[in-house]
Amino acid sequence: YALDQVQGLSLLLVPGRATPAVHQAMLRYCEVDRGGTAFAVLDPPAGQSATGIVTYVASTAALEGASEFGALYWPRVKVLNPSKSVFGAADQLVVAPSGIVAGVFARTDSARPGGVYDPPAGIDAGRMFGVLGFETDEVLEERKRDLVYPHRINPLTTGPGLPRFIDGS
């Protein structure tokens, strides 16, 4: 409840803490405690396949139908390692996507007056900068994305000749 004092809070992210308890608390906070004036950007747990993330949302975390004031984005994304002295010798890191997704929200919202009513998704509006790839290539398969859509999971994807983008709003 430390955020109760923040007047302009509109997005809530908790990177690196993708657990059922955290997700439920984020949704409750946005819908009940903030009166629906904030939106939770939920990260997937690490290592989730398409069927795994569906099981997480439908059963493990019981997120299906829990709230209209949050959305889960899958999978985690690969980015350049900003500091090998801090994060190790790997050239790339797999990280939670919420920070990048929040950047897409901000870019879409500020693109024009009334931009907050435009979905931050699609090849143009949902383009994610700095993303080199995805934790799982399953998201590149249409049939795998078709598994997650009915469960209100927003896949992050790309295609031949396309940028990496949020595919789902």
Side-chain angles (χ1 to χ4, degrees):
Y1 295 96
L3 297 174
D4 288 350
Q5 303 305 313
V6 179
Q7 296 294 318
L9 180 76
S10 60
L11 289 178
L12 178 62
L13 300 86
V14 183
R17 299 288 182 252
T19 67
V22 169
H23 284 157
Q24 288 292 341
M26 290 171 69
L27 293 173
R28 185 182 63 249
Y29 186 75
C30 288
E31 184 170 357
V32 177
D33 300 324
R34 295 302 287 214
T37 62
F39 188 82
V41 178
L42 308 177
D43 287 318
Q48 295 293 313
S49 65
T51 56
I53 197 66
V54 167
T55 299
Y56 176 81
V57 166
S59 303
T60 308
L63 297 174
E64 267 188 303
S67 177
E68 295 290 319
F69 296 94
L72 188 132
Y73 296 84
W74 166 82
R76 292 165 36 105
V77 296
K78 293 179 183 177
V79 298
L80 283 176
N81 184 345
S83 177
K84 291 183 179 182
S85 64
V86 174
F87 299 108
D91 291 331
Q92 296 180 11
L93 302 173
V94 176
V95 299
S98 58
I100 290 168
V101 169
V104 174
F105 273 56
R107 187 180 67 240
T108 303
D109 290 357
S110 66
R112 64 180 184 83
V116 295
Y117 299 105
D118 293 337
I123 295 169
D124 294 321
R127 184 175 183 175
M128 299 180 295
F129 295 100
V131 174
L132 304 174
F134 303 105
E135 182 179 38
T136 176
D137 287 339
E138 279 192 4
V139 77
L140 304 177
E141 300 174 40
E142 186 176 359
R143 65 184 180 85
K144 297 292 186 170
R145 291 193 307 273
D146 287 346
L147 290 175
V148 303
Y149 288 128
H151 301 277
R152 302 190 67 196
I153 299 165
N154 297 289
L156 311 175
T157 193
T158 190
L162 297 175
R164 288 168 184 86
F165 62 96
I166 299 170
D167 187 20
S169 60

